[in-house]
Amino acid sequence: MKFHYLLLLLSIAFITSCSSHKKINKLASELNCNKSIEFVFDKQSNLVKIVKTGPSIGESKIPDYESTFVAAVEELQKSMNTKLNVENTFGFPTDSVVRVVVKIEKIEWNFRAADAIMNTEINFKVQNREFPITGTNTVYWHGTKKGNLHKSLKSGIYQFLSLYCNQ
């Protein structure tokens, strides 16, 4: 009987940890920017360290930040009506495409008794305007640096798009 109870608790923890991720996909499908958006990943972001606080068990591999960012953009693109992509270089501005320079400023992973929260501070720069955003992801059971970074970046990108497209 105890095993069934433990299995039920683990199932609930897994389902609730995925719910915010799926909620972002649904909310993103409702966004509609009037221009395509090209993100340019600032290579200085790769120098940011993941700062862990609180008790944690084990280590996972440090992810490639740029490919994790690209994957987060591609996943959001699947849900949206707006064209999103990532470019490696700065291009010339056009009337139909918005270029956004993205820089990860800080990554904190806070472990607590029942969960772990990753906060990723991201700076989105569009022409001369800056949008400082904190993407978050909470896990209740098990998480890796790459998985949590992916979801916190996705959260931050969605927040930026929500602000930018609705202005």
Side-chain angles (χ1 to χ4, degrees):
M1 188 66 175
K2 288 182 182 180
F3 177 72
H4 293 307
Y5 182 69
L6 178 64
L7 190 59
L8 177 65
L9 286 176
L10 291 176
S11 297
I12 291 170
F14 177 74
I15 290 167
T16 56
S17 69
C18 293
S19 66
S20 66
H21 188 55
K22 291 180 181 178
K23 183 179 178 183
I24 289 174
N25 289 341
K26 184 177 185 313
L27 292 171
S29 70
E30 297 168 5
L31 286 177
N32 193 8
C33 295
N34 56 0
K35 295 182 180 182
S36 296
I37 297 180
E38 282 185 356
F39 293 103
V40 178
F41 186 81
D42 187 328
K43 305 287 187 201
Q44 293 293 313
S45 299
N46 293 320
L47 302 176
V48 175
K49 303 286 185 212
I50 297 175
V51 177
K52 292 169 62 174
T53 60
S56 64
I57 300 171
E59 277 296 321
S60 59
K61 191 171 110 175
I62 296 173
D64 177 313
Y65 294 171
E66 186 170 4
S67 66
T68 305
F69 177 79
V70 170
V73 169
E74 289 173 349
E75 190 170 327
L76 272 174
Q77 169 63 52
K78 292 176 186 175
S79 303
M80 294 186 62
N81 299 325
T82 303
K83 182 169 174 18
L84 305 176
N85 69 338
V86 180
E87 293 294 323
N88 290 326
T89 59
F90 297 96
F92 294 105
T94 68
D95 290 337
S96 62
V97 177
V98 175
R99 287 195 172 68
V100 182
V101 178
V102 180
K103 184 176 182 188
I104 297 173
E105 301 285 349
K106 186 177 188 180
I107 305 169
E108 291 182 331
W109 203 4
N110 183 13
F111 292 87
R112 304 183 307 182
D115 60 9
I117 301 170
M118 182 175 278
N119 293 312
T120 305
E121 294 179 16
I122 314 162
N123 188 35
F124 295 87
K125 188 171 183 180
V126 182
Q127 294 171 340
N128 60 353
R129 290 187 62 198
E130 292 190 19
F131 297 83
I133 303 283
T134 301
T136 62
N137 183 58
T138 303
V139 292
Y140 297 97
W141 171 241
H142 170 66
T144 63
K145 289 175 186 160
K146 183 176 182 176
N148 280 282
L149 182 61
H150 173 85
K151 291 176 183 176
S152 68
L153 286 170
K154 184 176 165 184
S155 164
I157 297 164
Y158 167 75
Q159 289 177 58
F160 164 74
L161 291 171
S162 178
L163 279 173
Y164 187 77
C165 295
N166 292 327
Q167 52 176 334

